[in-house]
């Protein structure tokens, strides 16, 4: 039973460590730093975020998927961030996940999707580009996705800038626990599991009551006795049987002592 529980825990850990495959880092030779950073986004994989921009004149909805497709597979062209012009009901791909860049600092990660649909006349008709600034926030896995600005008044290198809060952007905390304390915690957890699991087993499967619900009670009782005997043997300065032995030595005490003791027992 315990072995299976352990297996489930290990399986859960290995799933989290899974690397995001869908985001394709651009370049023939991908950097291992970028790859490592990308794997930090794994908890957000395929999560979808939406934000609306409305300035009275225009109204747009932006949909962002972390290393996943915004549209269903039949119509998908690797779009990772899409603008929907609510009034004209026209969709424009801002960035695609097959050309991903990612950079980081102490408490932020900048995710860039390039290769969006080309501008008509702005920015030298280059492909659109989305930059999503993910800032560290320990209290949320992902929240507050909003558009900051659209830069399109240059003749190249234009971009759409978004921001978001997430705990994945927080600095990886060095574990303050030493190997010893981790072992201690693991031991305590195992003991806890043993007692709880054993208790439930004794109570509901065996049907034990009272102290007998404690797992392997007979064994622990015996162990307790053994330990007590051990202590007795090691710590006692005089042998236990001495009381009786001494009585034999002094003949005069032999008769008196029991009487003296009996006096105390007399009812008052
Ligand atoms: C994709 O397909 C599913 C059902 O197959 C549907 O519920 C969902 O709305 C579709 N999404 C889009 C963006 O079209
Ligand atoms: C950026 O991310 C990498 C990979 O997770 C990490 O090793 C590095 O320390 C981060 N850089 C900074 C400045 O925190």
């Amino acid at each position: 039973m315990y072995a299976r529980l352990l297996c489930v825990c290990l399986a859960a850990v290995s799933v989290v460590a899974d690397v995001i495959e869908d985001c394709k880092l651009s370049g023939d030779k991908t950097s291992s730093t970028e790859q490592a950073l990308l794997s930090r986004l794994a908890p957000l994989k395929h999560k979808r975020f939406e934000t609306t921009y409305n300035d009275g004149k225009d109204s747009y909805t932006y949909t962002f998927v972390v290393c996943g497709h915004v549209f269903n597979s039949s119509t998908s062209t690797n779009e990772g961030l899409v603008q929907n012009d609510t009034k004209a009901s026209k969709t424009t791909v801002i960035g695609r996940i097959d050309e991903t860049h990612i950079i980081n600092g102490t408490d932020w990660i900048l995710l860039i999707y390039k290769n969006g649909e080309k501008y008509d006349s702005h920015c030298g008709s280059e492909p659109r580009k989305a930059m999503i600034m993910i800032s560290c926030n320990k209290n949320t896995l992902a929240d507050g996705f909003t558009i900051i600005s659209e830069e399109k008044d240059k003749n190249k290198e234009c971009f759409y800038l978004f921001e978001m809060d997430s705990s994945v952007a927080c600095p990886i905390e060095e574990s303050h626990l030493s190997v010893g304390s981790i072992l201690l915690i693991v031991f305590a957890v195992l003991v806890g599991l043993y007692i709880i699991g054993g208790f439930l087993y004794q109570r509901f499967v065996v049907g034990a009551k009272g102290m007998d619900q404690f797992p392997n009670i007979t064994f622990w009782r015996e162990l307790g006795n053994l330990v007590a005997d051990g202590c007795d043997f090691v710590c006692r300065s005089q042998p236990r049987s001495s009381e009786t032995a001494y009585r034999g030595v002094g003949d005069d005490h032999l008769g008196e002592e029991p009487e003296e003791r009996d006096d105390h027992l007399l009812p008052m």
Side-chain angles (χ1 to χ4, degrees):
M1 183 171 86
Y2 299 134
R4 193 177 300 164
L5 215 100
L6 203 71
C7 283
V8 170
C9 292
L10 289 178
V13 167
S14 61
V15 165
V16 172
D18 191 12
V19 185
I20 299 189
E21 297 290 347
D22 302 354
C23 270
K24 296 274 182 300
L25 297 167
S26 39
D28 300 332
K29 190 172 172 293
T30 52
S31 119
S32 54
T33 340
E34 254 189 322
Q35 199 65 58
L37 189 50
L38 202 54
S39 66
R40 276 172 63 187
L41 295 186
L44 302 179
K45 186 178 181 176
H46 293 173
K47 281 208 191 308
R48 178 182 281 261
F49 304 95
E50 254 181 32
T51 184
T52 319
Y53 169 81
N54 196 335
D55 69 353
K57 194 157 56 79
D58 298 305
S59 169
Y60 298 110
T61 304
Y62 294 91
T63 310
F64 164 47
V65 178
V66 180
C67 293
H69 302 200
V70 174
F71 300 139
N72 277 345
S73 47
S74 52
T75 49
S76 174
T77 55
N78 285 324
E79 67 292 321
L81 206 151
V82 170
Q83 177 198 59
N84 184 25
D85 186 337
T86 332
K87 280 184 182 156
S89 54
K90 177 174 175 286
T91 55
T92 310
V93 175
I94 308 294
R96 296 183 206 273
I97 59 174
D98 57 356
E99 207 178 304
T100 306
H101 293 257
I102 188 163
I103 41 181
N104 69 323
T106 22
D107 60 353
W108 55 267
I109 295 175
L110 180 59
L111 182 65
I112 304 167
Y113 288 163
K114 290 186 176 178
N115 197 24
E117 282 178 40
K118 289 188 167 116
Y119 286 97
D120 295 330
S121 51
H122 292 99
C123 307
S125 302
E126 68 175 4
R128 287 176 171 80
K129 174 167 78 181
M131 307 211 290
I132 305 105
M133 184 67 161
I134 306 169
S135 306
C136 163
N137 182 342
K138 286 201 175 87
N139 304 323
T140 178
L141 179 58
D143 203 9
F145 174 66
T146 44
I147 180 156
I148 303 296
S149 64
E150 179 192 353
E151 173 59 81
K152 60 173 184 183
D153 296 328
K154 310 196 284 185
N155 55 12
K156 60 176 188 175
E157 295 291 322
C158 298
F159 56 85
Y160 289 73
L161 181 61
F162 301 85
E163 72 173 4
M164 192 170 94
D165 282 348
S166 173
S167 53
V168 299
C170 293
I172 305 151
E173 276 181 22
E174 300 279 307
S175 175
H176 297 301
L177 296 173
S178 67
V179 178
S181 39
I182 290 172
L183 282 180
L184 216 75
I185 290 170
V186 168
F187 180 73
V189 167
L190 287 180
V191 168
L193 281 178
Y194 168 77
I195 291 177
I196 293 167
F199 182 86
L200 293 176
Y201 180 81
Q202 291 290 333
R203 188 184 179 98
F204 295 111
V205 182
V206 179
K209 296 253 154 52
M211 271 303 278
D212 289 339
Q213 291 174 78
F214 198 82
N216 305 90
I217 184 72
T218 349
F219 168 75
W220 292 115
R221 273 193 184 131
E222 269 166 24
L223 187 75
N225 289 340
L226 273 175
V227 170
D229 285 350
C231 277
D232 215 33
F233 179 74
V234 173
C235 309
R236 223 174 261 280
S237 52
Q238 297 164 333
R240 206 178 189 182
S241 48
S242 57
E243 284 170 43
T244 36
Y246 277 130
R247 267 187 210 150
V249 177
D251 284 342
D252 12 7
H253 296 293
L254 202 69
E256 290 171 36
E257 242 183 25
E259 279 173 30
E260 266 176 43
R261 284 190 185 164
D262 283 352
D263 285 346
H264 300 294
L265 294 175
L266 284 173
M268 299 291 199

